Amino acid sequence: MGTRAPVVDHGPRTGNRVALTFDADMTDGMLANLRSGKVRSYANLRILDLLEREQVPATFFLTGKWVQRYPEVTRRIAGNPRFEVANHTFGHAAFTADCYDLPRLPVDELAADVAKTFEVIAPYGGRQTRYFRFPGLCHDAAALDALAPLGVTVVDGDVVSGDPFAKAWQPLVRAVLDHVRPGSVVIMHVTEANAAMTDEALPHILAGLRARGLTPAPLSEVLAGG
């Protein structure tokens, strides 16, 4: 066992499988927006509806605060045998300096934050993993060293949809289909108000994958190459 959490961007470039991953961010500021009524929802149920209807596998990187705010949606995700569940920190704080203006956690608190998130997710059951994604994909050697004792695999991704705060769905489709390859890990978001175009882009992304002979599969299967 090394002293640094491993980082992967994609699976083997063989076969025809790709992983669709959806981050569920939640910060204290986002919770305040919900309480005040400024924002209606950070849970895009239209994405779940489509994935369920078309029987598409996906992997969801959940923050602990999102799970606590949306327990019923978390149950829905965990209850689907085609969906995997992974860890995206407790409150979407940065694990490094200079990470998209996110507030930063001290290095000595990083492992506890991730461990707490696993504890919040655990009771929901389903296909839980030891996969972890940093907010903003921001990590350095100190952060990776801090997470090594947890036995996580850090999953960045090689296809970034650019869906946060997008104003149109077409650029998201192009961003994914222009870069996707066998073994790819596609990064999208299920945080409706902060990624309002994702559900509109998703049908076109799925159609484009089919046209390219690519099939969505759970992240664990894509990383394992089978």
Side-chain angles (χ1 to χ4, degrees):
M1 176 94 180
T3 58
R4 186 163 291 174
V7 181
V8 298
D9 286 322
H10 57 80
R13 296 302 192 184
T14 55
N16 67 339
R17 295 186 176 196
V18 299
L20 302 181
T21 69
F22 295 88
D23 293 356
D25 308 348
M26 186 62 74
T27 64
D28 288 338
M30 292 165 70
L31 288 170
N33 288 341
L34 289 169
R35 283 194 298 270
S36 70
K38 179 180 177 183
V39 165
R40 187 180 66 84
S41 173
Y42 290 114
N44 195 330
L45 300 184
R46 288 183 297 277
I47 290 174
L48 295 184
D49 292 343
L50 176 61
L51 295 173
E52 290 168 353
R53 188 168 62 246
E54 308 241 342
Q55 301 185 354
V56 176
T59 302
F60 292 84
F61 283 83
L62 307 180
T63 53
K65 289 183 179 181
W66 191 92
V67 170
Q68 291 175 338
R69 179 61 181 78
Y70 293 110
E72 70 292 340
V73 186
T74 304
R75 272 191 289 273
R76 179 175 172 182
I77 291 170
N80 188 320
R82 294 182 182 85
F83 294 164
E84 288 183 330
V85 177
N87 187 319
H88 194 39
T89 74
F90 187 69
H92 208 256
F95 279 38
T96 66
D98 301 320
C99 185
Y100 300 99
D101 296 321
L102 294 171
R104 185 183 183 183
L105 278 181
V107 171
D108 60 0
E109 295 179 17
L110 303 186
D113 181 276
V114 177
K116 180 178 181 179
T117 308
F118 279 124
E119 291 171 6
V120 170
I121 295 171
Y124 291 88
R127 298 181 62 170
Q128 300 203 18
T129 70
R130 297 300 288 185
Y131 297 134
F132 172 79
R133 178 172 286 156
F134 287 95
L137 305 185
C138 303
H139 50 78
D140 56 17
L144 295 173
D145 290 346
L147 298 190
L150 296 178
V152 299
T153 296
V154 175
V155 180
D156 283 351
D158 63 320
V159 180
V160 179
S161 69
D163 60 348
F165 306 105
K167 302 299 184 189
W169 59 264
Q170 293 89 344
L172 311 185
V173 178
R174 287 195 297 272
V176 173
L177 297 182
D178 285 354
H179 297 98
V180 70
R181 299 165 54 194
S184 281
V185 176
V186 181
I187 303 172
M188 293 178 280
H189 290 73
V190 72
T191 43
E192 185 172 5
N194 284 0
M197 294 291 123
T198 312
D199 59 277
E200 294 191 50
L202 190 55
H204 303 278
I205 290 171
L206 293 175
L209 293 176
R210 283 192 297 270
R212 288 160 174 75
L214 297 172
T215 301
L219 179 60
S220 62
E221 296 179 16
V222 172
L223 295 183

